[in-house]
Amino acid sequence: SSSPPLSGLCAHIFATCPWRKRGAAEHRYISRRKMLPTAPGAFGCVIPGRPPNYSDSFVQVDTMRWQLDVENSQQIRDVCFFLTSPLNVPGAGLSCYITGPPFETWHFLGAVTNENPSAVVRVRWPKEEGAPTAARLGISIEPVEQIAALQAELPGTELVDFGKQVAKDLYDFLASFEAISQHAGILMQLFDRWMKRFEDRCKRDPFWWLNRHA
């Protein structure tokens, strides 16, 4: 049989993990902890085709950060990560990062909060780095304002860059025709107007193109 979608698998793990089955009294005890993520199993992640990893599998580097080494990372395209109980840090969420050797430059992937306790994020490696064979996932407690700023840079920026490449390719194609090349100035003005409109839409809603009816 075919494998279930990653989003469905994430939801299943979130709903059936041991922390979700604890009694009300134990939940009240857990909620009184100063910082919930220091407890075993407080968050987790799933890489497609691999077993889930909960927070007790991560190495805690300080009170706010955890790391997990990942092998064969060149095969990773998506990561699902989630909270298994509400985060007991007001105004904060968990950010997910990834880095490759020499493990110095971290790349933001996405975040979860109490309001959005699970996420499937795309792994994006800079062109100059490529996809390494070994990687390290990082989880960090961060203010929701900082998370929002990081998230705003993710898909919108990539989509705008893609739009610019499409626009340039179309402009070069049209400019190759002599009848159109005589009006290159007007053509460029039209493309500039379209590009500004495209950028504005991406800033307002990076996924607007997914919401359009076929």
Side-chain angles (χ1 to χ4, degrees), residues 129-190:
E129 293 186 23
T133 57
R136 183 171 294 164
L137 288 176
I139 302 294
S140 175
I141 301 178
E142 296 176 343
V144 291
E145 295 82 3
Q146 180 177 334
I147 289 173
L150 291 170
Q151 287 179 321
E153 298 176 1
L154 272 182
T157 299
E158 289 189 348
L159 192 58
V160 168
D161 290 342
F162 174 73
K164 289 179 179 179
Q165 292 299 320
V166 171
K168 182 179 184 302
D169 183 72
L170 179 58
Y171 175 83
D172 291 342
F173 175 74
L174 293 176
S176 66
F177 295 92
E178 182 176 356
I180 296 179
S181 65
Q182 296 173 1
H183 305 282
I186 297 176
L187 187 62
M188 180 58 71
Q189 291 178 12
L190 293 174

Side-chain angles (χ1 to χ4, degrees), residues 6-212:
L6 180 57
S7 58
L9 176 61
C10 178
H12 172 73
I13 293 173
F14 178 75
T16 60
C17 67
W19 277 61
R20 297 286 291 179
K21 297 181 179 180
R22 296 182 184 271
E26 193 167 3
H27 273 298
R28 286 195 295 271
Y29 166 75
I30 292 170
S31 68
R32 289 196 296 268
R33 290 176 177 268
K34 183 177 180 181
M35 190 172 294
L36 176 61
T38 58
F43 62 83
C45 73
V46 178
I47 297 173
R50 307 186 189 191
N53 287 285
Y54 294 96
S55 56
D56 47 357
S57 299
F58 285 67
V59 176
Q60 187 166 6
V61 295
D62 59 38
T63 57
M64 295 290 189
R65 295 183 299 155
W66 296 258
Q67 296 178 0
L68 177 70
D69 289 336
V70 180
E71 297 180 352
N72 298 321
S73 55
Q74 75 277 10
Q75 302 173 357
I76 301 175
R77 295 294 179 269
D78 300 280
V79 176
C80 170
F81 76 112
F82 48 88
L83 294 172
T84 55
S85 193
L87 183 64
N88 193 30
V89 182
L94 290 184
S95 293
C96 183
Y97 294 84
I98 196 168
T99 183
F103 307 113
E104 295 175 350
T105 303
W106 292 88
H107 307 291
F108 177 76
L109 299 180
V112 294
T113 63
N114 288 340
E115 293 72 28
N116 297 285
S118 64
V120 179
V121 297
R122 176 59 54 90
V123 175
R124 303 173 176 88
W125 294 104
K127 293 181 180 179
E128 60 273 16
E129 293 186 23
T133 57
R136 183 171 294 164
L137 288 176
I139 302 294
S140 175
I141 301 178
E142 296 176 343
V144 291
E145 295 82 3
Q146 180 177 334
I147 289 173
L150 291 170
Q151 287 179 321
E153 298 176 1
L154 272 182
T157 299
E158 289 189 348
L159 192 58
V160 168
D161 290 342
F162 174 73
K164 289 179 179 179
Q165 292 299 320
V166 171
K168 182 179 184 302
D169 183 72
L170 179 58
Y171 175 83
D172 291 342
F173 175 74
L174 293 176
S176 66
F177 295 92
E178 182 176 356
I180 296 179
S181 65
Q182 296 173 1
H183 305 282
I186 297 176
L187 187 62
M188 180 58 71
Q189 291 178 12
L190 293 174
F191 271 93
D192 286 343
R193 288 170 56 187
W194 175 84
M195 196 66 234
K196 186 178 186 308
R197 176 175 175 270
F198 184 79
E199 290 178 349
D200 289 341
R201 295 191 71 176
C202 289
K203 289 178 181 178
R204 291 195 303 270
D205 179 10
F207 301 103
W208 61 267
W209 52 281
L210 290 175
N211 300 324
R212 295 176 64 87

